[in-house]
Amino acid sequence: MTRAQEWRPDVLGEPFEQLTLPLTPDAEGEVVATLVRYAPPPRLADLWSHRPAADVDVLYVHGWSDYFFQKELARFWHDRGARFYALDLRKYGRSLREGQTPGFVDDLATYDEDIAAALDAIGHASGDGRRLLLLGHSTGGLTLSLWIDRHPGRAHALVLNSPWLEFQAGGPGRAALAPLIDLHARLDPKAAMPNVDLGYYTRSVSATMDGEWDYDLAWRPVRGFRMHPAWLTAVLAGHARVAAGLSLDVPVLTLLSARSALLPYWTPEMMSSDVVLVVQDIAVRALRLAPTVTVSRIDGALHDVFLSREPVRAAAYGEVERWLRGYVSGS
């Protein structure tokens, strides 16, 4: 394992910086994760001690076929006093190396090493010092929920942005499908599964289509990465754990769209709906995570709530602010 590199300029430009985190090599060779931090110059406002996240470090983890590029999200947390970090997991975004299978792991617990390396770099290796708030989107939300369950006492709060807590076919569909996918995974773990992503989510988000966001389409492809049976088996196992009930020792905020639009054809409704998950099922599953869970349904939100249109994002940030002042600021 090679020594980690120093902080250097990030692809997002100033004031973002990145740090390469060497991990244990696997069958595909070198493996790294990449930590991104938002480090603007100090301001007088930064000295105000009553901001709701003044002693908080935020670590963001992206979803499937994704990477961190949400500058506005970083600014939101910084303005509330937090130090903001984001993690591109192994084989995603900044961490993807030539010859690797994008996004591939066969156990979501594999990411424990990525998260441990990030927390070590931030200064949370022993769980001491500033409070830790974890923020996860989609599959990242599932990954962080399971991580907190395995590592009680390490985090202080969890914010979930449309977390993938249940398979789109629901619990019965997952139970019927899981054995077949598991058999496929045993026979050919990295077989290319049919691509069911028709590109409608990208159409609603990307500035090259009907959305407003500029990002690298090589790191976040129009129709997503190819799925593989061993990876999907790992995700379904995570869904089963959530369905059985977790007992997270932190307050949880779950942000979701008010509606889903999972259709085989494009409709204008997809500009104001979650086209990836069945949000009603996710809302129910979220209540299985912890004793204290807040579920906020945001009218007009996309799958990534913070990539929705500006009035919708403003409503979502308002929900986070209220929750932060109620559950984190004074705790």
Side-chain angles (χ1 to χ4, degrees):
M1 187 180 300
T2 59
R3 189 178 72 86
Q5 300 178 31
E6 300 300 322
W7 288 100
R8 63 182 190 274
D10 186 62
V11 295
L12 296 179
E14 294 183 353
F16 290 90
E17 299 175 331
Q18 65 170 263
L19 179 69
T20 300
L21 305 173
L23 305 173
T24 304
D26 66 10
E28 294 184 333
E30 176 192 22
V31 178
V32 303
T34 308
L35 187 64
V36 179
R37 70 180 178 186
Y38 181 63
R43 306 169 303 172
L44 286 176
D46 297 338
L47 301 176
W48 185 43
S49 61
H50 297 291
R51 291 182 296 171
D55 65 340
V56 172
D57 288 338
V58 174
L59 178 63
Y60 171 87
V61 175
H62 58 81
W64 168 249
S65 193
D66 204 354
Y67 74 103
F68 172 70
F69 63 90
Q70 292 86 341
K71 296 180 181 180
E72 182 182 75
L73 183 64
R75 289 193 293 267
F76 169 85
W77 285 102
H78 176 78
D79 288 347
R80 277 135 196 91
R83 298 192 306 197
F84 181 88
Y85 300 86
L87 182 62
D88 275 12
L89 298 168
R90 65 182 68 203
K91 305 184 184 183
Y92 285 98
R94 300 162 179 84
S95 306
L96 182 60
R97 298 294 185 261
E98 186 177 356
Q100 291 182 336
T101 306
F104 181 80
V105 292
D106 58 10
D107 186 342
L108 295 182
T110 301
Y111 294 129
D112 283 13
E113 185 183 10
D114 306 50
I115 295 169
L119 295 182
D120 186 31
I122 293 170
H124 285 267
S126 62
D128 297 331
R130 293 165 61 91
R131 290 184 293 166
L132 176 66
L133 184 150
L134 297 176
L135 169 57
H137 169 56
S138 198
T139 314
L142 174 63
T143 298
L144 290 179
S145 297
L146 297 173
W147 184 89
I148 293 176
D149 191 55
R150 291 192 301 271
H151 299 85
R154 295 296 306 278
H156 295 83
L158 175 64
V159 177
L160 299 173
N161 171 10
S162 301
W164 192 16
L165 301 178
E166 180 56 277
F167 191 58
Q168 285 80 337
R174 167 174 47 79
L177 185 63
L180 300 177
I181 300 297
D182 181 61
L183 178 59
H184 194 179
R186 293 174 188 274
L187 296 174
D188 191 353
K190 293 183 181 178
M193 301 183 68
N195 192 348
V196 297
D197 186 343
L198 300 176
Y200 298 149
Y201 180 43
T202 298
R203 178 173 174 176
S204 69
V205 171
S206 174
T208 64
M209 301 181 193
D210 294 339
E212 61 180 278
W213 303 97
D214 292 312
Y215 55 85
D216 192 328
L217 289 171
W219 287 351
R220 184 179 162 126
V222 172
R223 296 187 61 191
F225 297 146
R226 278 283 186 179
M227 293 187 182
H228 306 278
W231 175 84
L232 185 54
T233 293
V235 170
L236 295 177
H239 292 164
R241 287 189 59 197
V242 171
L246 304 182
S247 187
L248 307 188
D249 59 349
V250 299
V252 179
L253 170 64
T254 302
L255 300 169
L256 296 167
S257 180
R259 64 188 63 83
S260 296
L262 278 66
L263 299 169
Y265 52 88
W266 173 261
T267 72
E269 182 185 6
M270 291 178 172
M271 293 297 299
S272 58
S273 306
D274 190 320
V275 301
V276 178
L277 302 178
V278 180
V279 292
Q280 184 59 33
D281 289 351
I282 304 303
V284 171
R285 284 290 179 255
L287 300 179
R288 307 280 299 173
L289 294 176
T292 303
V293 177
T294 303
V295 177
S296 182
R297 304 287 291 271
I298 309 297
D299 190 33
L302 299 176
H303 175 54
D304 187 330
V305 173
F306 299 117
L307 298 183
S308 306
R309 291 171 174 168
E310 194 282 330
V312 179
R313 300 199 306 274
Y317 283 124
E319 289 295 313
V320 176
E321 178 97 29
R322 282 188 287 273
W323 177 86
L324 184 64
R325 293 185 181 277
Y327 283 101
V328 178
S329 179
S331 60

